[in-house]
Amino acid sequence: MSQEIWINLPVKDVVRSTTFFNEIGFHAMSVGNERAKLSIGQTTILLFLDAAFEKFTGSKIADTSNCAEVIFSIGAKSREEVDAFIQKVEFAGGSIFGKPSETDGWMYGAGFADLDGHRWNLLYMDESKMPKQ
């Protein structure tokens, strides 16, 4: 069995979403007007127009203005990377639902929603401060 996973994500405007993800530092490439490929490290996320997504899943998309269907967590290399990234997200038109902050003395992160309300977080973990078990 293949060990690759592709994540399929519905969007209202593929071109606009592609621009947004490129502006925040991801690598996104349109494949026509109906889909795009977003690469984050070794993870591939395919962006599909809402109607196309609904057609091949056989169900309605989640209303992200009222609920969260998933949160994508991405590792950061430093607190400064988290801060700089969140500034890019704000500038590109995303919304911040969790301002950069520290948790438990060893995690530092922030949460944002993309143009379609899908939730993401960026997290730096200082393993030298992580509790030992």
Side-chain angles (χ1 to χ4, degrees):
M1 178 189 300
S2 176
Q3 298 301 308
E4 291 183 75
I5 295 176
W6 299 286
I7 299 166
N8 299 301
L9 198 60
V11 298
K12 291 175 183 29
D13 184 327
V14 170
V15 174
R16 192 168 164 242
S17 291
T18 301
T19 300
F20 170 79
F21 286 114
N22 280 319
E23 285 179 2
I24 66 172
F26 295 160
H27 176 71
M29 180 179 67
S30 291
V31 182
N33 291 328
E34 296 185 11
R35 64 181 174 262
K37 179 180 178 183
L38 173 61
S39 298
I40 305 168
Q42 294 184 9
T43 301
T44 299
I45 298 175
L46 302 173
L47 307 177
F48 289 92
L49 287 175
D50 289 349
F53 187 87
E54 288 179 346
K55 184 177 179 181
F56 69 76
T57 62
S59 65
K60 294 282 186 194
I61 61 168
D63 179 356
T64 57
S65 67
N66 294 318
C67 62
E69 80 279 42
V70 68
I71 187 164
F72 299 98
S73 297
I74 303 167
K77 294 178 182 169
S78 68
R79 295 169 67 105
E80 294 77 21
E81 183 180 14
V82 171
D83 294 339
F85 188 85
I86 290 301
Q87 287 180 340
K88 286 182 194 177
V89 168
E90 285 183 301
F91 183 75
S95 60
I96 309 306
F97 66 81
K99 294 190 184 277
S101 63
E102 187 174 289
T103 304
D104 297 333
W106 62 278
M107 292 182 288
Y108 184 81
F112 71 95
D114 64 26
L115 302 178
D116 291 281
H118 304 295
R119 293 181 175 258
W120 303 75
N121 73 343
L122 195 66
L123 185 62
Y124 166 67
M125 294 181 278
D126 184 344
E127 294 183 15
S128 70
K129 295 180 180 177
M130 185 184 292
K132 308 290 188 253
Q133 291 183 337

